[in-house]
Amino acid sequence: DSHTYECHQGKIGYREFGSLAFDTFESYITAFCYFKEHERGNVSIDTVKSKCAINLPCGEFSYAKIPHNFDVILGVTGTLDSLGPYENEILINEYKISTRTITPSIYGAYKLKYRAGDNVKILFTKGSHRQEIVNSIMEARESDRAILVFFNSVKEMGEFQTSEEGKAITDMHTVDETCANVGGEVVAATKSRAVTLFPRVFGRGLDFICSEPSMKEGVHVIQAFPAESKSEEIQIQGRTARQGDKGSYEM
């Protein structure tokens, strides 16, 4: 439901990309939610007065169309060389991108440990799939590394956590779109021997920086589902071996 909100520290927020946005309003519905939460004792009267008003829509716009108002369009992406035919067609025909340049990282050589022949495994039952994930977690923990596991959905993440195989990891943490402090969870996820489960939506945009000297091999990432595109796979790989750090990845 697009109108589902959360009341946090006296304010009403909506989930956007895994964190709470407090400056989002769902037309008049948010105003009535403030009155309701005030009656429940969760919002002060001063907050109600500052947040509730009659909003008059004066127009709407599309972010995808805004670039057409400019003479020059510049873009930056880490997956330029892995875009599919559909994405390339949009860049060329819709946005008239005529020049592409791929530059090396300012942090030097990419220190990701990954070989498709060795680090991609296909399992044919849920039990064997979950057991392989557990085995990989245990192996990485032997080196005191932090482990990030990305699942296709929150449902599959929960099924792993409650499965007989998953119960072998007694201190794993889960992060999903209901988490109020994603930034704090990201920091905790990079601690030595931490095991953190995420749904695929968190496979891009978050900076997992390894700050513990004891983790010489960096963060280990396990992708527990096949990516829909090469760019998604690269984004999830990019949650480790960041900014010159070492790291490893398997699918």
Side-chain angles (χ1 to χ4, degrees):
D1 188 338
S2 62
H3 301 309
T4 301
Y5 69 88
E6 296 179 32
C7 189
H8 182 68
Q9 295 183 348
K11 295 185 291 183
I12 285 176
Y14 295 89
R15 286 283 163 189
E16 294 182 1
F17 305 107
S19 60
L20 278 173
F22 295 103
D23 56 354
T24 298
F25 277 75
E26 294 283 354
S27 186
Y28 60 87
I29 295 175
T30 304
F32 283 106
C33 289
Y34 268 105
F35 284 114
K36 180 172 70 174
E37 293 299 332
H38 172 64
E39 292 177 354
R40 292 175 172 175
N42 297 325
V43 174
S44 69
I45 187 61
D46 290 335
T47 300
V48 172
K49 290 179 179 179
S50 67
K51 295 291 185 179
C52 293
I54 297 176
N55 296 314
L56 301 176
C58 299
E60 58 185 25
F61 60 88
S62 166
Y63 281 106
K65 297 295 184 181
I66 290 177
H68 295 303
N69 295 326
F70 297 87
D71 295 325
V72 177
I73 301 175
L74 304 176
V76 178
T77 177
T79 56
L80 180 61
D81 56 350
S82 63
L83 297 178
Y86 177 69
E87 291 93 343
N88 278 305
E89 183 179 344
I90 291 175
L91 288 180
I92 295 170
N93 298 331
E94 182 72 18
Y95 294 108
K96 312 300 181 185
I97 299 293
S98 58
T99 302
R100 304 185 188 197
T101 303
I102 298 178
T103 60
S105 170
I106 62 172
Y107 298 102
Y110 192 27
K111 298 179 181 178
L112 178 70
K113 183 181 178 181
Y114 166 64
R115 289 206 307 257
D118 299 328
N119 302 121
V120 176
K121 298 177 182 178
I122 300 175
L123 290 307
F124 295 97
T125 66
K126 287 186 177 181
S128 62
H129 178 241
R130 292 166 181 162
Q131 188 59 54
E132 187 63 34
I133 294 172
V134 170
N135 293 344
S136 295
I137 291 172
M138 295 292 198
E139 182 179 350
R141 271 192 152 182
E142 289 179 0
S143 302
D144 295 328
R145 302 176 67 188
I147 301 100
L148 316 177
V149 189
F150 292 91
F151 289 85
N152 186 44
S153 64
V154 173
K155 178 183 176 182
E156 291 185 12
M157 183 174 73
E159 289 175 349
F160 171 78
Q161 188 179 22
T162 58
S163 68
E164 288 302 315
E165 297 83 5
K167 288 178 181 178
I169 312 295
T170 58
D171 55 349
M172 70 179 83
H173 297 275
T174 61
V175 178
D176 58 29
E177 292 183 320
T178 64
C179 177
N181 183 17
V182 175
E185 295 291 347
V186 167
V187 173
T190 60
K191 299 299 183 182
S192 176
R193 298 180 61 82
V195 178
T196 314
L197 315 183
F198 300 87
R200 71 192 301 168
V201 68
F202 289 92
R204 64 173 65 221
L206 295 179
D207 289 330
F208 295 92
I209 305 298
C210 177
S211 58
E212 294 196 12
S214 61
M215 286 173 47
K216 296 180 180 179
E217 298 302 314
V219 175
H220 182 60
V221 169
I222 301 171
Q223 182 178 329
F225 65 95
E228 292 184 352
S229 65
K230 184 64 176 177
S231 61
E232 180 181 32
E233 180 182 326
I234 291 174
Q235 288 286 351
I236 293 176
Q237 289 177 5
R239 297 318 94 202
T240 186
R242 300 182 66 81
Q243 299 185 10
D245 288 339
K246 290 184 177 181
S248 57
Y249 162 90
E250 64 181 308
M251 183 191 298

